[in-house]
């Protein structure tokens, strides 16, 4: 892997650069919690922040960005289209405008369809995805989203969208960590030209107590969280670690001064299947 700092980037299919670690904000509450988390992340050197309409913290994220005084062009911001705003081009365009307004921005760096099969659209997810993606392509053409992609898409959703898309999704953001490493979907997404973003790279915190990870962490003099973020980078994923604690936020970004050996990477591969699996988009009840 070539990444050496929090400002190292991967290249998206359209040539845009995306910082190799994003700061996750899922389950950070709007108000002081999300505001401080993003503030501390920016102070620690993160330049990529991942939010979503459904996280209900876009206002605090946007305020922290503005208050940081960092040039907009130096920060990469992602937000996502939520299920209840889906189902027509008009709804999608309005949801995007509302997100921009809450963030207080005039563009985002990446806009994603958050979920491929919302329960309310399950009987027509194919046309819903096609229509909403067409709206997102228009947003991209207007320069209001500098890159566009999907989240939680499985192969069937990727293939179905490909039948109608003008522009291929540039990112697939999925639940991805050593406990649920889904290598088939990763490989498939990559063959379609997508950067694979790993949400819940710490297994929602569950993997931090895993004894195999703890042993490797002890050996390298690092924390389990640092091992997990580094594992993701060495797999060439784009991890999105989330924390609300300043010391964790800082430490989770300090992963460029050590390497997990090929042998230990192979040992980490054996954990696959041991944590709570991702929600199946075809059966999730939201
Ligand atoms: P908190 O937000 O209270 O700081 P994931 O990124 O996989 O979703 O995991 C996030 C969970 O892991 C959160 O509960 C977060 O706690 C916790 N966490 C994040 N970084 C660390 C760390 N360095 N040490 C311990 N727990 C952490």
């Amino acid at each position: 892997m070539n990444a050496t700092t929090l400002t190292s980037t991967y290249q998206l299919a359209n040539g845009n650069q995306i910082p190799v670690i994003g700061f996750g904000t899922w389950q950070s509450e709007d108000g002081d919690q999300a505001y401080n988390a993003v503030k501390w992340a920016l102070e620690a050197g993160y330049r990529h922040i991942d939010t979503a309409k459904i996280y209900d913290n876009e206002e605090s994220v946007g305020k922290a960005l503005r208050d940081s005084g960092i040039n907009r062009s130096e920060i990469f911001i992602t937000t996502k289209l939520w299920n209840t705003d889906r189902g027509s081009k008009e709804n999608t365009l309005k949801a995007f405008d509302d997100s921009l307004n809450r963030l207080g921005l005039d563009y985002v760096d990446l806009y994603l369809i958050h979920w491929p099969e919302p329960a309310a659209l399950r009987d027509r997810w194919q046309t819903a995805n096609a229509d909403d993606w067409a709206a997102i392509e228009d947003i991209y053409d207007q320069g209001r989203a500098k890159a566009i992609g999907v989240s939680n898409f499985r192969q069937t959703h990727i293939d179905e969208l490909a039948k109608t898309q003008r522009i291929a999704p540039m990112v697939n953001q999925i639940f991805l960590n050593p406990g649920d490493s889904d290598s088939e979907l990763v490989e498939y997404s990559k063959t379609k030209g997508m950067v694979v973003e790993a949400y819940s790279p710490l297994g929602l915190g569950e993997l931090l107590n895993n004894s195999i990870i703890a042993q490797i962490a002890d050996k390298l003099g690092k924390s389990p969280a640092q091992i997990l973020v580094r594992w993701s980078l060495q797999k060439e994923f784009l991890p999105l670690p989330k924390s609300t604690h300043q010391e964790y936020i800082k430490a989770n970004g300090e992963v460029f001064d050590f390497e997990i050996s090929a042998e230990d990477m192979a040992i980490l591969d054996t954990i696959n299947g041991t944590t709570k699996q991702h929600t199946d988009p075809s059966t999730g009840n939201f």
Side-chain angles (χ1 to χ4, degrees), residues 26 200-205 208 223 225 240-245 248 251-252:
W26 181 27
S200 302
L202 314 179
L204 287 167
L208 299 172
S223 71
L240 303 168
K242 173 263 177 184
S243 174
T244 53
H245 293 88
Y248 293 164
N252 294 351

